[in-house]
Amino acid sequence: MNLFSKELKILNIGTSKFKNDLELQGQKVIQLDWEPAANGDIALLEIVDRLSIRDDIKEANKKAVEIMMNSHPMLVDIDKAINVISDMKKNMILHAGPPIEWKRMAGPMQGAIIGALIYEGLANNEEEAKEIAGSGEIIFSPCNEHSTVGPMAGIVSPSMPVHVVYNKTYKNYSYCTVNEGLGKVLRYGAFNNEVIDRLKWIEKEFAPTMQKAIKSVEGGIDIKSIISQAVHMGDECHNRNKASTSLFFREITPHIIDTEKNVDVIKRVLGFIRANEHYFLNLSMPSCKVSTDAAHGIENSTIVTTMARNGVDFGIRVSGLGKNQWFTAPANTIKGLMFPGFKEEDANLDIGDSCITETMGIGGFAMGGSPAIVQFVGGSVEDAIGYSEDMFEITTGENTNFSIPTLDFRGSAIGIDIVKVIEKGILPIINTGMAHKAAGIGQVGAGLVSPPMECFKKAIIEFDKNNQR
């Protein structure tokens, strides 16, 4: 009887019709958004039940996450892709995302490839470049299959300088091009004279100067330390890199000054980094890549080691499955804030390798510690904190190397587990820029997106098939 003498607190689960009816009667109701595990798919639930109780999978996942966290990325060099990337060929162009052929590529990627062919001297103009690209003479291959990552279109051609990041714990390398800045840039599919001239300057002047500076630092520049500091300063090192670029600028400046006697060259090189607050993105990405690559190939592990998109397809790779075994589905539409003059329908589908940051537990996973990011991608500070907290539901560990002050210095969520994603029905959150669907126009906004659930369904079915007991 005491129950009915008190004010009832009503929690409604499922359809909101009951909530609406109760509110019409003057009741206060909290709506709990809920859906059954695996969206009610019995076959998937049976797989989840089988895999979630296996101790060998738990141990394998623990090992994979420990490798990711113990990795220690150092910037040790900058050199032409052909000189440092294994299996790179003179007629090869690397691209973002899972494998894709020329005729299926999105506008920004095709535009970037046209620019790369002109830059390499293989074509004189757009028409010639298109003909060569479609002729079969050029080998197109995913960056991720060559220990490489690229933002947006992600294009890497043989002569392009790439940062060389070394994992001093596990002795592996990763690579990423130099961030060109904003405006008309290759990664958004632009290929006019301004773009080609900038790429040539990066190759001929910027990279050689940086190479001398980096090589003068014994052991290289500690990228892991910079990320750790930057996260405490409000960066999430995907779409916000203000602090990290400033920290890197502080580290590299004295070495550039010491190793280059031409004052004009020093001014141009330092001015290029100083004017581009996203410069560090092309260091945080290979830093995350070298760490997740080290954790790939752990037998029985259900941890995701790659998330990448090419503007058409989204793909993931899983540690305990094949080295280059991709699980793909159509890329999603990004929801967020558009730049003035653009509409949502102007934006290309999700594109780029930069969600390697989320794969490592920063980027969207660390938005709770980067409240200013919501002014760029949309939402509220409360939303950002909520996204970071949700990610603990689908991951295996907490990375205290990248602790989040607003979560009482809790380590960022790390180790996306395909079993937990299916069981919880929660997808990884990614914050990202939006490229215009037409080549060369550039960035038109920024927002939030998630991988298609289909990628995880395909992966867990394949894992279960390969690991039957």
Side-chain angles (χ1 to χ4, degrees), residues 132-195:
I132 293 169
S135 69
E137 296 175 25
I138 303 299
I139 300 169
F140 298 112
S141 187
C143 289
N144 273 281
E145 294 186 6
H146 300 268
S147 303
T148 305
V149 277
M152 289 295 155
I155 298 307
V156 183
S157 66
S159 300
M160 289 181 186
V162 292
H163 296 113
V164 179
V165 174
Y166 175 64
N167 186 343
K168 71 177 186 179
T169 308
Y170 299 103
K171 317 303 182 189
N172 61 308
Y173 290 86
S174 66
Y175 314 93
C176 188
T177 52
V178 174
N179 192 292
E180 308 155 83
L182 298 176
K184 299 291 184 183
V185 290
L186 189 81
R187 70 180 183 275
Y188 284 107
F191 52 84
N192 60 17
N193 290 338
E194 174 192 349
V195 173

Side-chain angles (χ1 to χ4, degrees), residues 304-336:
V304 175
T305 51
T306 303
M307 295 195 296
R309 50 273 213 262
N310 56 34
V312 177
D313 302 317
F314 195 113
I316 68 171
R317 298 191 298 175
V318 177
S319 179
L321 295 172
K323 180 181 178 182
N324 291 326
Q325 189 168 13
W326 290 90
F327 301 95
T328 64
N332 284 329
T333 300
I334 303 161
K335 299 294 183 182

Side-chain angles (χ1 to χ4, degrees), residues 303-454:
I303 297 299
V304 175
T305 51
T306 303
M307 295 195 296
R309 50 273 213 262
N310 56 34
V312 177
D313 302 317
F314 195 113
I316 68 171
R317 298 191 298 175
V318 177
S319 179
L321 295 172
K323 180 181 178 182
N324 291 326
Q325 189 168 13
W326 290 90
F327 301 95
T328 64
N332 284 329
T333 300
I334 303 161
K335 299 294 183 182
L337 302 178
M338 305 303 298
F339 292 171
F342 295 104
K343 304 182 293 295
E344 275 194 7
E345 51 265 36
D346 294 325
N348 200 83
L349 297 177
D350 196 17
I351 187 170
D353 288 334
S354 55
C355 56
I356 194 66
T357 55
E358 281 81 7
T359 314
M360 186 60 190
I362 52 176
F365 282 44
M367 279 196 296
S370 183
I373 197 69
V374 300
Q375 294 181 313
F376 189 55
V377 301
S380 66
V381 173
E382 184 179 7
D383 292 333
I385 291 173
Y387 289 131
S388 291
E389 290 177 333
D390 284 348
M391 295 303 98
F392 293 109
E393 296 290 319
I394 58 171
T395 49
T396 298
E398 297 182 18
N399 190 356
T400 53
N401 296 304
F402 307 144
S403 60
I404 302 174
T406 50
L407 298 183
D408 289 330
F409 294 92
R410 188 177 184 182
S412 63
I414 187 171
I416 302 164
D417 184 352
I418 59 172
V419 177
K420 292 183 178 180
V421 170
I422 297 295
E423 179 185 11
K424 304 283 187 178
I426 298 173
L427 288 163
I429 188 70
I430 299 165
N431 62 36
T432 189
M434 299 183 203
H436 197 285
K437 63 177 66 172
I441 293 179
Q443 187 171 0
V444 296
L448 301 172
V449 71
S450 289
M453 182 61 83
E454 189 64 24

